[in-house]
Amino acid sequence: MSTSSAGFRSRFSVERMMRIHDRLRDGSSLNCTQFAAEIDVSRKTIQRDIDHMRDRLGLPLEYDRTTHSYVYTAPVEAFPTVQMSEGDAFALFVAERALEPLRGTPLFDRLQSTFQKLTANLKGHVELTAEDHDAVSFRQFGEGRTNARAFKALQKAHTQQREVTFAYKKPDSAAAEIRHVRPYHLTHRENLWYLVGHDVDRAAIRTFALPRMSEVKIARKKFTLPGDFSPDAFFASALGVVAGSGSFDIHLRFDASIAERVSERIWHESQQVTTRSDGSIDLHLQLGSLIEIERWVLGWGAHAEVLAPPELRLQLAHSTTAMADRYANLL
């Protein structure tokens, strides 16, 4: 799914069509305008679903001009089903397990419901064995807490393009501050949910961690999402979450003992890896901030060395000296 704002606002068409089917199969009629308002989508979206159900799925849908509604002109016992192989069923099972980052958000319950509806209308019977269930798992180190109440309010505010206010407590602050923000995008990074939005008081786009929010309120004032805003472009210079406004050419060297572990992953879109004659590797990155890269390099211990920029070398020198002093009495 695209990370664009349109993707953020989208609803799953299969779920909508099945809701339309549920409404019509008992002989009731459906008015596109009223139903669209009921599930908070546009009338054109419902009309496209109706057209797909009639023209592609072959359902007996007809427009009743007297009631300005659609009806089934013949009995329909079940929504059109699809054949599913064991491979298809396993892929669906894996996809469902991959939803774990959404747990605790309104989207998780909606997607779970969609999966149940999809599997309930499959033809035939496909068994997943115990081996299938044990074949794939997802585990995130340091999984973050989900602020479901904030997520729901921010999702609604983004859809309606309304500003929000919330109390926000930075990790290094003693008390929370009230922020006035235009919500642009929700993203799951570094095992945590973040809001990217325009901080009205600071006149800048900032990133906010949802677990640090409280008292989220949707304001009446509306805003227009800038046409040039792109989540991918915003995070292009970030190693993880901190985009930054600088431009740093990062040059790191990793010794041969961990060279393969480092080179087997894509840490950033800008990375370039060069293998040296002794088996060590040089890693080059282009980042907008030094905050996250310092912490990341420290995680590799003595196996990594910062070669550039000089200010990052100095930061690591201060940090490692402080660490050495802390453990000096153990040597």
Side-chain angles (χ1 to χ4, degrees), residues 23-24 26-31 34 64 67-72:
R23 181 70 60 87
L24 296 175
D26 62 356
S28 300
S29 60
L30 182 138
N31 178 278
Q34 294 176 355
D64 186 343
T67 61
H68 304 290
S69 302
Y70 282 91
V71 295
Y72 275 157

Side-chain angles (χ1 to χ4, degrees), residues 2 7 14 25 33 69 75 77 112 121 130 152 168 183 198 204 257 297-298 305 307 310:
S2 168
V14 172
R25 66 179 176 179
T33 302
S69 302
E77 293 300 326
Q112 286 281 69
N121 286 275
K152 184 176 182 179
Y168 192 73
H198 178 83
S257 66
V297 173
L298 283 171
E305 179 185 2
L307 301 181

Side-chain angles (χ1 to χ4, degrees), residues 206-224:
R206 298 292 175 85
T207 305
F208 306 93
L210 266 64
R212 300 174 196 158
M213 294 181 184
S214 61
E215 303 175 27
V216 181
K217 298 178 181 178
I218 302 176
R220 291 185 178 182
K221 188 174 182 179
K222 304 198 71 174
F223 69 93
T224 300

Side-chain angles (χ1 to χ4, degrees), residues 104-210:
T105 73
L107 290 178
F108 183 84
D109 293 335
R110 181 181 291 273
L111 286 167
Q112 286 281 69
S113 175
T114 299
F115 274 113
Q116 291 171 4
K117 290 177 180 178
L118 284 171
T119 55
N121 286 275
L122 295 175
K123 288 181 179 178
H125 185 68
V126 178
E127 287 283 351
L128 286 177
T129 65
E131 288 75 15
D132 291 324
H133 283 270
D134 293 337
V136 176
S137 65
F138 295 85
R139 177 73 172 93
Q140 296 178 321
F141 178 73
E143 186 173 351
R145 293 180 292 109
T146 300
N147 188 341
R149 182 175 297 179
F151 187 99
K152 184 176 182 179
L154 294 170
Q155 182 187 23
K156 183 177 180 180
H158 179 278
T159 301
Q160 298 177 352
Q161 294 197 2
R162 294 184 182 275
E163 296 180 355
V164 295
T165 61
F166 51 82
Y168 192 73
K169 186 179 182 303
K170 291 183 176 181
D172 56 352
S173 299
E177 297 179 341
I178 299 299
R179 298 296 185 97
H180 182 192
V181 177
R182 296 169 183 169
Y184 285 0
H185 180 72
L186 282 168
T187 183
H188 189 264
R189 291 172 175 263
E190 303 294 300
N191 298 333
L192 207 63
W193 280 101
Y194 293 87
L195 168 72
V196 180
H198 178 83
D199 190 314
V200 176
D201 298 326
R202 292 161 179 78
I205 298 179
R206 298 292 175 85
T207 305
F208 306 93
L210 266 64

